[in-house]
Amino acid sequence: MCGMLSNKSYAYPLFKALFSIGMKFGYPTEDWTVEQFEKSKERIRFNMKSCLYCEELDKRGALEPCPAFCQTDHTTYNPLAPAMVFRHENTIANGASHCDFCFECGKGQIVIVTRAGWYRKNTNRLLLATPQALAKYTLVQLE
């Protein structure tokens, strides 16, 4: 489903419209503590200050598989690029005080940023461009 929306201009507006419903029923306040920063035309940003998965696994002394739950976020939302870009850098499972989530309205074609340089998605061509020239692209940072 996400892959089918990746090139649709309405992917982010649709996600934004369904976001509140998903948060209300998928992450009830008795199990999750959410701190929302922004819900705009450009992005949705929020932090999860508590995580049901981490808490339950911690009670059982089995936190090792917890980062795998976080990885499913990338598996779910990354296929929406370039129409919507998902960023998730900090996780409770990896020792942070919170999990940060950011869903941004994509700008079009993706440019992947690596240590070696800038690449257009699905090509191996190195781009030598100024930040101003790259403004029309959605940038994704890779380690």
Side-chain angles (χ1 to χ4, degrees), residues 19 23 63 89 100 126:
F19 172 77
M23 291 300 289
L63 275 174
E89 297 172 9
D100 63 340
L126 180 64

Side-chain angles (χ1 to χ4, degrees), residues 27-74:
Y27 300 94
T29 57
E30 59 270 8
D31 297 325
W32 307 88
T33 305
V34 180
E35 177 184 48
Q36 189 163 328
F37 289 97
E38 182 178 357
K39 187 175 176 187
S40 68
K41 288 181 2 182
E42 292 82 30
R43 75 189 53 82
I44 296 171
R45 289 187 327 130
F46 62 94
N47 289 339
M48 288 277 192
K49 304 293 268 179
S50 66
C51 172
L52 174 68
Y53 304 125
C54 288
E55 290 171 6
E56 290 300 317
L57 289 170
D58 190 32
K59 287 178 192 175
R60 292 157 176 74
L63 275 174
E64 295 81 15
C66 205
F69 289 108
C70 305
Q71 188 58 41
T72 63
D73 295 328
H74 293 282

